[in-house]
């Protein structure tokens, strides 16, 4: 069998691997390469390389908050935002996904992390409009804010090191209810930042980052994705289109009345299938491993046939 290592399929594969390598080498802190290769942040690596090339922002983990004056209104109203977040938390609305339909943050839920979506690359969620109207109006008034949510990190929780998959945005955090302690912090590319009530920070979430709360107090923040400033109008238009497409596909819900995107509907189905996979593994390990090998062989055959 002749294998053309310069054929179109292999050229696509080489380009993808090169893009993953660019992402992998970004920053001082890196995931193991094999983990990076299969990590969710690898899927958009080819697009992210272009986002990095056209970015107006310097390539560093923490960014100048002053370059985004439109966010001043959020900081100025942090106490009103905090009041709505506290009420939602007290009433149990800031919570993990109830139906295993939030693929973006599924691993965080295992650590007790919780969220309440305000918007996700689309119009604000109906539940958010009804339950926290002041914060929704503030967020809607800032076109560059593409996604927003309240997030809660309980005492003792730690979120493992990861990169976010989409370089079309940068991340904004506004402290609402925090321990005001260096023991409750986020580390971006090895550089720590400790949340404080009423203070905000902007960082590039495509660098490896992780978070921990080594205090006895729950941390609640406003978490936003802010459109990355790009150099050309065509690239900005493409970025908004891709962001909207991904956002609609990964939309999820606070309440049953909120829409769920196709990716999260599939993820919910896959989670159910995964439970059956675990049952098969427990019941018949030889068959389980035979099926895994067959899947790998099928993928390899696709490239070499």
């Amino acid at each position: 069998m002749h294998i053309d290592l310069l054929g179109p399929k292999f050229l696509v594969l080489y380009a993808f691997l090169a893009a993953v390598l660019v992402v992998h080498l970004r920053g001082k802190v890196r995931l193991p390469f094999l983990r990076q290769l299969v990590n969710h942040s690898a899927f958009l690596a080819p697009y992210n390389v272009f986002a990095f090339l056209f970015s107006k922002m310097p390539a560093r983990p923490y960014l100048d908050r002053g370059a985004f004056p439109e966010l001043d209104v959020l900081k100025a109203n942090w106490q009103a935002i905090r009041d709505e977040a506290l009420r939602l938390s007290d009433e149990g609305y800031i919570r993990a996904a109830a139906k295993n339909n939030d693929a973006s943050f599924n691993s965080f839920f295992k650590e007790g992390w919780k969220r309440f979506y305000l918007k996700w690359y689309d119009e604000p969620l109906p539940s958010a409009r009804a339950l926290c109207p002041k914060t929704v109006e503030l967020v809607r008034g800032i076109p560059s804010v593409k996604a927003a949510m309240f997030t809660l990190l309980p005492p003792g929780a730690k979120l493992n090191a990861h990169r976010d998959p989409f370089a079309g945005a940068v991340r904004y955090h506004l402290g609402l209810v925090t321990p005001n302690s260096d023991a409750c912090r986020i580390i971006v590319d090895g550089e720590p930042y400790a949340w404080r009530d009423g203070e905000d920070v902007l960082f590039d979430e495509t660098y490896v980052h992780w978070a921990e709360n080594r205090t006895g107090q729950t941390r609640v923040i406003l978490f936003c994705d802010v459109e990355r400033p790009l150099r050309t109008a065509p690239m900005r238009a493409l970025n908004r289109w891709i962001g909207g497409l991904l956002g609609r596909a990964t939309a999820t819900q606070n309440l049953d009345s909120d829409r769920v995107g196709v990716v999260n509907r599939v993820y919910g189905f896959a989670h159910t299938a995964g439970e059956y996979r675990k049952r098969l593994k427990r019941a018949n390990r030889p068959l389980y491993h035979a099926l895994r090998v067959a899947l790998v062989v099928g993928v390899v055959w696709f490239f070499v046939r």
Side-chain angles (χ1 to χ4, degrees):
M1 177 186 297
H2 173 70
I3 299 175
D4 183 4
L5 295 179
L6 295 178
K9 292 178 181 177
F10 278 97
L11 291 177
V12 170
L13 178 61
Y14 299 151
F16 173 75
L17 291 175
V20 173
L21 185 62
V22 170
V23 171
H24 175 65
L25 296 176
R26 186 172 172 81
K28 298 174 292 186
V29 179
R30 294 165 191 151
L31 303 173
F33 183 69
L34 288 180
R35 180 185 164 194
Q36 180 65 70
L37 190 59
V38 299
N39 187 263
H40 68 288
S41 63
F43 298 152
L44 288 174
Y47 173 76
N48 288 346
V49 169
F50 284 97
F52 297 147
L53 287 173
F54 284 90
S55 179
K56 288 184 178 181
M57 307 301 296
R60 61 188 187 206
Y62 291 98
L63 302 169
D64 178 13
R65 210 335 238 113
F68 294 78
E70 67 271 26
L71 301 176
D72 291 348
V73 67
L74 297 177
K75 186 173 182 179
N77 287 275
W78 77 272
Q79 290 171 310
I81 296 170
R82 177 196 61 189
D83 291 345
E84 288 195 327
L86 278 174
R87 183 174 55 79
L88 287 173
S89 181
D90 290 343
E91 295 176 1
Y93 287 110
I94 303 179
R95 58 194 181 192
K99 297 181 178 180
N100 298 303
N101 59 3
D102 194 346
S104 300
F105 300 102
N106 181 67
S107 63
F108 290 2
F109 298 138
K110 300 172 185 177
E111 296 295 330
W113 184 88
K114 301 174 183 176
R115 86 291 185 265
F116 181 90
Y117 284 92
L118 304 172
K119 64 177 292 187
W120 189 250
Y121 290 84
D122 205 347
E123 286 298 306
L125 278 68
S127 57
R129 289 197 196 99
L131 295 170
C132 46
K134 291 181 182 178
T135 305
V136 165
E137 284 307 304
L138 288 169
V139 168
R140 287 190 73 183
I142 310 173
S144 62
V145 173
K146 299 302 180 182
M149 66 179 81
F150 295 125
T151 70
L152 182 155
L153 190 67
K158 179 180 178 180
L159 306 181
N160 290 332
H162 61 284
R163 298 180 190 270
D164 282 25
F166 179 50
V170 294
R171 183 65 43 77
Y172 174 78
H173 284 181
L174 172 63
L176 302 176
V177 184
T178 78
N180 293 299
S181 165
D182 289 345
C184 184
R185 61 184 186 160
I186 186 168
I187 296 88
V188 184
D189 200 31
E191 299 179 23
Y193 171 85
W195 295 284
R196 296 287 192 273
D197 292 0
E199 295 186 8
D200 56 5
V201 67
L202 195 73
F203 63 94
D204 187 334
E205 73 273 28
T206 62
Y207 288 94
V208 173
H209 58 285
W210 57 278
E212 63 180 359
N213 182 2
R214 295 186 287 106
T215 77
Q217 180 182 337
T218 295
R219 182 229 66 181
V220 180
I221 62 170
L222 177 67
F223 166 122
C224 299
D225 276 5
V226 182
E227 185 176 22
R228 181 186 291 270
L230 299 172
R231 296 183 185 279
T232 67
M235 192 64 192
R236 289 193 291 272
L238 176 64
N239 191 54
R240 288 167 189 158
W241 180 78
I242 290 178
L245 182 68
L246 293 173
R248 288 187 294 274
T250 57
T252 191
Q253 56 189 182
N254 300 316
L255 303 177
D256 287 344
S257 56
D258 297 322
R259 187 182 72 84
V260 178
V262 63
V263 168
N264 282 322
R265 292 199 299 270
V266 171
Y267 183 80
F269 172 79
H271 183 273
T272 301
E275 293 301 311
Y276 285 108
R277 178 184 62 80
K278 292 176 184 177
R279 293 180 191 176
L280 174 62
K281 184 177 181 180
R282 289 192 295 267
N284 192 328
R285 292 180 71 89
L287 176 59
Y288 169 78
H289 289 297
L291 290 173
R292 288 189 65 183
V293 170
L295 177 62
V296 172
V297 170
V299 172
V300 172
W301 176 251
F302 173 79
F303 282 101
V304 302
R305 65 187 173 87

